[in-house]
Amino acid sequence: MKTQTKRAAGTYLILGIGILLIIYPLFLTVISAFKTEPEITKNFLALPESFYLGNFKNILSRPDYFQAVGNTLYITILSLAGMIVVLPMVSYSIARKMDVSRFYKYLYFFLLVGIFVPFQVKMMPLIKTMSSLHMLTPTGIIIVYVASSICEGVFLYVAFIQGVPTELEEAAYIDGATTAKTYFQIILPLLKPMTATVLIKMGLWIWNDFFLPLLVLNKSTKYWTLTLFQYNFKSTFTVDYALVFATFILSMLPVFLVYLVLQKQIIGGLTNGAVKG
């Protein structure tokens, strides 16, 4: 009993430290958003003397902020839509053919290798190619996001599809269904748990991504995303931290609202996906 008690105490201690490491930076972000710039400079860790709303008023009065929000929504929504169209189709073909065709098997392992290639390795060739094709635009970066998601997305979907019994498809073929009808009416609905997982994972990545938009979209203010909008609250020698933290709060709000609205669906999708696997 004493050993179990010590293990439980150690587990709770580690969990408590982990929670503090997550909550404390968030706490600092929130209180800093309600400070003036002199307050932040004077004592970054102190509570605000008064809840100053000027930072939020300053941001919301700028038309380029709403343009950045629109760009971020446009890029995120269309990128996710492209992923949901492309990834399940590619993964279904690979999952059902890799055991009987060397081509699909080699294609699968070729895509897996792509997971381990750092972005820094392919950065220069990618940007040069995009520049030569005149793709340094929000639409161009959407295509890159969809293409970049294929390696990891196929890995997730293939593992899930292989757990779906092939008898369901065989029964559909016996009833006269085509491959397309079988995919859209039987397989695709069964992939909802994994689709929810991919949407959450990829959506957070695109919404918070900074490096790729910096390389592709920073040439013009009309292309800025929220991360670029936050990044450009600076001059050569100074950074307006009060405005930066306020934009952090505003950029997190849509994610929190989506989670609150779709909480049951998100948790249910992830749970069903775990049980299905």
Side-chain angles (χ1 to χ4, degrees):
M1 292 295 293
K2 291 183 178 180
T3 303
Q4 292 180 350
T5 303
K6 290 181 179 179
R7 288 180 179 177
T11 301
Y12 284 121
L13 177 63
I14 294 173
L15 290 174
I17 294 173
I19 291 172
L20 287 176
L21 290 175
I22 295 172
I23 292 180
Y24 190 61
L26 181 61
F27 169 73
L28 291 178
T29 300
V30 172
I31 64 172
S32 299
F34 292 96
K35 291 181 181 180
T36 61
E37 186 64 24
E39 285 183 74
I40 292 178
T41 304
K42 182 180 178 181
N43 190 346
F44 178 69
L45 301 178
L47 292 172
E49 297 176 3
S50 63
F51 282 94
Y52 177 67
L53 298 176
N55 298 322
F56 296 97
K57 292 178 181 178
N58 188 337
I59 295 168
L60 295 175
S61 65
R62 299 179 57 159
D64 52 343
Y65 169 74
F66 293 99
Q67 188 175 52
V69 172
N71 289 336
T72 306
L73 286 172
Y74 171 76
I75 292 170
T76 303
I77 292 172
L78 290 189
S79 296
L80 292 177
M83 292 174 191
I84 297 310
V85 171
V86 173
L87 295 179
M89 288 186 178
V90 175
S91 304
Y92 178 60
S93 300
I94 293 175
R96 290 299 186 244
K97 295 291 185 180
M98 65 184 297
D99 291 333
V100 297
S101 172
R102 288 186 177 181
F103 171 76
Y104 285 97
K105 191 171 186 177
Y106 292 151
L107 176 61
Y108 177 66
F109 287 111
F110 174 76
L111 292 175
L112 287 187
V113 171
I115 298 176
F116 303 100
V117 178
F119 178 76
Q120 290 78 2
V121 173
K122 56 186 178 182
M123 177 177 65
M124 289 306 298
L126 175 64
I127 300 304
K128 283 190 175 183
T129 302
M130 292 181 69
S131 179
S132 62
L133 296 175
H134 306 288
M135 291 174 59
L136 299 179
T137 62
T139 303
I141 203 172
I142 289 171
I143 297 173
V144 173
Y145 276 133
V146 174
S148 300
S149 70
I150 289 177
C151 295
E152 186 174 357
V154 166
F155 172 71
L156 294 173
Y157 268 110
V158 166
F160 189 86
I161 293 172
Q162 287 178 333
V164 177
T166 56
E167 288 80 2
L168 296 174
E169 298 155 70
E170 294 170 357
Y173 293 142
I174 292 172
D175 291 337
T178 61
T179 301
K181 188 175 182 180
T182 302
Y183 170 76
F184 284 107
Q185 294 188 4
I186 297 177
I187 300 300
L188 196 58
L190 294 175
L191 300 182
K192 285 182 180 179
M194 183 50 64
T195 298
T197 302
V198 170
L199 283 174
I200 296 164
K201 190 175 188 305
M202 300 300 180
L204 289 174
W205 163 48
I206 297 169
W207 185 270
N208 296 314
D209 189 29
F210 169 72
F211 202 25
L212 191 56
L214 177 67
L215 296 172
V216 176
L217 304 177
N218 203 33
K219 65 177 183 178
S220 174
T221 57
K222 69 178 182 178
Y223 292 155
W224 281 359
T225 59
L226 281 172
T227 52
L228 292 181
F229 182 79
Q230 296 163 1
Y231 169 73
N232 283 285
F233 275 125
K234 65 180 181 61
S235 62
T236 305
F237 301 105
T238 61
V239 178
D240 194 333
Y241 288 107
L243 291 179
V244 169
F245 283 112
T247 56
F248 286 162
I249 298 298
L250 290 175
S251 64
M252 287 189 293
L253 280 178
V255 179
F256 281 126
L257 291 176
V258 169
Y259 178 77
L260 289 176
V261 173
L262 301 177
Q263 183 178 7
K264 290 184 179 179
Q265 290 85 344
I266 292 172
I267 295 175
L270 292 174
T271 304
N272 291 337
V275 173
K276 187 71 178 179

